[in-house]
Amino acid sequence: MPTFPFQQVDVFSSEPMRGNPLAVVVGADVLTDEQMQAFANWTNLSETTFLLKPTDPRAHYRTRIFTPKQELPFAGHPTLGSCHVWLSQTGQPPDGDIIQECGAGLVHIRRNGRQLAFAAPPLQRSGPVDPALVDRIARGLGVPIAEIKDANWLDNGPDWIGILLSSRADVLAIRPDYSALTGLRVGVVGRFDPETDGDDAAFEVRAFSNRGTEDPVTGSLNAGFAQWLIGSGMAPESYVAAQGTALGRAGRVHVQRDGDDIWIGGDVVTCIRGTVDL
C-alpha cells in the first residue's frame, strides 16, 4: 500500500478544534476515484481533499473534494485548508495569488497576514425559492413561515438554499427536523444585535447538510450569503460572520468585497501531521 503525507487542519479558527476540520492527502495522483471516496467515507468529516498535480498550466495545484458520500466541484473550507497544506509542502510559495484547480474551475486564493481567502466563484443558481419549498424548509427548521424574511438559491457547487431570519437569537434557537430536510442543503443567517450579542461579528450562520448533520463552519455557504447580502444591500462590503456557536465552535469567516470580487477568508491551523497508507 502506498504511503502519502497527510494533515488534518482546522479551518476558520485561530484556535485548534474550534473551527471546521479537514483531512488532506498530499500527492494523491495514483489514487482511484473509489479509493478517494472510500477514505473520505472513513474519515467521516464533512470533507476530505486530495492534492494532485494540476492539469491547467495556470494552476499551482489541483484538489479533489469528497464528502463521505460524493465528490464536490467546489467547497470553501476545503479550499482554504488544502491551500494551507499545499503551502506547507512547497519550498517556493508564489508572491501573488495562489491558483487552485478544482471541479468548478480555477479558484484564486490570497494571503492576508496569517489568513487565507478565496474569491467566491459565480453562483450557478440564484434567485427566489419556490414558496412550497420554503414552507417545507420552515417546517424542517421548526420556524413559523412568517419569521422567514427571505429565501434565495445560493448554488456555487453545493446547492445551498439561503434562509434569512431577523436575528442571531432566532438562528441559534433552531432545532432542525432532518427528516423534513432530507436531500436539502439549507443555510440560515441572522443579524447580530450589538447590545446583546457583542460586536465581534455582524451575522450568525448555521448550515444543515443533506447528510442530516450540521456543518461547523462553511466557506461555500458564506460565499453565497455574501454575494446575496452584499449584492442586495443587506450587508456592508466588509463584515465578519460567526458560525459553529450551536456546536461549541468559534468559527469566524471574514468577508471583503474588492472590486467585482468577494473574498471569503479565515485562519487555518494544523492539528495533525503524519502519513497515511492507502
Side-chain angles (χ1 to χ4, degrees):
M1 298 177 69
T3 298
F4 302 89
F6 172 81
Q7 291 188 32
Q8 190 160 311
V9 300
D10 210 14
V11 185
F12 291 123
S13 176
S14 59
E15 302 175 66
M17 296 177 287
R18 297 279 284 176
N20 197 356
L22 175 75
V24 184
V25 179
V26 179
D29 300 82
V30 301
L31 293 177
T32 66
D33 295 0
E34 293 75 17
Q35 287 173 309
M36 293 182 190
Q37 185 63 77
F39 185 63
N41 182 60
W42 181 79
T43 67
N44 201 34
L45 297 175
S46 57
E47 282 97 12
T48 297
T49 65
F50 301 85
L51 300 186
L52 307 96
K53 296 176 183 177
T55 61
D56 189 314
R58 296 170 292 177
H60 293 100
Y61 64 91
R62 180 163 63 102
T63 187
R64 295 184 65 181
I65 305 166
F66 288 81
T67 75
K69 292 186 176 181
Q70 67 183 113
E71 184 172 8
L72 297 177
F74 169 78
H77 100 276
T79 292
L80 298 188
S82 294
C83 183
H84 174 84
V85 174
W86 181 80
L87 285 169
S88 76
Q89 301 293 301
T90 184
Q92 295 181 321
D95 293 328
D97 287 357
I98 301 153
I99 302 177
Q100 171 185 281
E101 179 184 354
C102 60
L106 299 180
V107 178
H108 284 250
I109 304 164
R110 66 183 182 187
R111 288 170 287 178
N112 181 15
R114 300 190 328 176
Q115 294 183 351
L116 294 170
F118 66 85
L123 293 175
Q124 299 174 15
R125 182 180 184 183
S126 60
V129 181
D130 182 86
L133 184 53
V134 176
D135 186 66
R136 176 187 164 193
I137 291 170
R139 293 195 307 272
L141 298 176
V143 173
I145 190 70
E147 291 187 7
I148 293 182
K149 302 307 178 184
D150 206 351
N152 214 66
W153 282 98
L154 307 175
D155 185 345
N156 50 17
D159 50 350
W160 290 108
I161 298 172
I163 299 295
L164 175 65
L165 300 183
S166 294
S167 69
R168 180 192 192 219
D170 291 338
V171 172
L172 293 177
I174 289 171
R175 299 296 181 264
D177 175 1
Y178 287 109
S179 65
L181 298 174
T182 299
L184 300 177
R185 289 187 176 94
V186 178
V188 187
V189 63
R191 193 179 298 275
F192 265 53
D193 181 340
E195 293 187 2
T196 57
D197 299 323
D199 59 2
D200 67 320
F203 295 94
E204 184 77 35
V205 172
R206 293 179 72 179
F208 305 105
S209 78
N210 61 356
R211 297 194 297 126
T213 59
E214 181 169 354
D215 197 48
V217 202
T218 318
S220 60
L221 174 60
N222 276 281
F225 270 136
Q227 288 161 304
W228 178 29
L229 298 177
I230 293 175
S232 61
M234 291 187 285
E237 295 194 347
S238 176
Y239 68 86
V240 176
Q243 192 179 347
T245 307
L247 300 175
R249 310 291 176 88
R252 292 295 183 270
V253 181
H254 296 257
V255 176
Q256 175 71 55
R257 184 172 186 172
D258 185 1
D260 293 333
D261 291 323
I262 293 177
W263 294 83
I264 307 298
D267 291 279
V268 186
V269 292
T270 301
C271 297
I272 300 171
R273 294 181 181 88
T275 60
V276 59
D277 295 333
L278 294 174

